[in-house]
Amino acid sequence: MKLVNEGGMRITGFGVVVRDSNCQVLGALTGGIGVASNYLAESYGVMCALELAVQWDMLKIIVVSDSKTVLAEFAQGKVPWFLKGRWSIATRKLNLIRYQHCYREVNFSADNMAKKGASFAAGVRQIHLGRPQCLPRVEMPMFEYYRFG
């Protein structure tokens, strides 16, 4: 269910799916944000992905998102003010960060986790080691996806 008010804000969550270089799911993170715009939810998701990479000692990472704007701004260091300190700490600990855009149709596993996070209260998080049961499908590289309707 999507709750939207007149200002374009809605109850949001974030979702992060962690994979290795063979695209095997190592874990996932989901959490509630509360009322926020899509931009803020996407920014928070990228920030949580960076922090999780540091926590799990993954020093060379690729951050994939369907938000071109958020990826471009993080790559340029134009991070929302309320995330700037956390971003600075995380990026100093990472050796390599590559930001890669994907289309929404090819981001369904992270979207699935974000929708689950939207059902949580703001600040509540859930971490999964390995592939969570709530993630029945994950995207595969070099596979074509189509969306109709």
Side-chain angles (χ1 to χ4, degrees), residues 61-74:
I61 64 168
I62 301 171
V63 177
V64 180
S65 172
D66 57 19
S67 176
K68 275 186 181 181
T69 302
V70 169
L71 291 175
E73 290 182 357
F74 268 75

Side-chain angles (χ1 to χ4, degrees), residues 61-133:
I61 64 168
I62 301 171
V63 177
V64 180
S65 172
D66 57 19
S67 176
K68 275 186 181 181
T69 302
V70 169
L71 291 175
E73 290 182 357
F74 268 75
Q76 297 170 21
K78 296 178 181 176
V79 179
W81 66 269
F82 61 92
L83 296 175
K84 192 73 168 184
R86 290 169 57 184
W87 175 83
S88 182
I89 291 168
T91 56
R92 276 193 301 245
K93 296 178 180 179
L94 296 166
N95 294 338
L96 175 70
I97 308 168
R98 194 170 103 205
Y99 296 96
Q100 181 177 319
H101 177 258
C102 69
Y103 291 102
R104 188 164 192 225
E105 292 80 5
V106 190
N107 199 27
F108 53 82
S109 57
D111 272 354
N112 186 26
M113 297 305 293
K115 286 175 187 169
K116 179 178 171 125
S119 69
F120 297 164
V124 173
R125 292 183 177 192
Q126 189 175 69
I127 194 161
H128 301 270
L129 298 176
R131 186 169 168 174
Q133 287 184 333

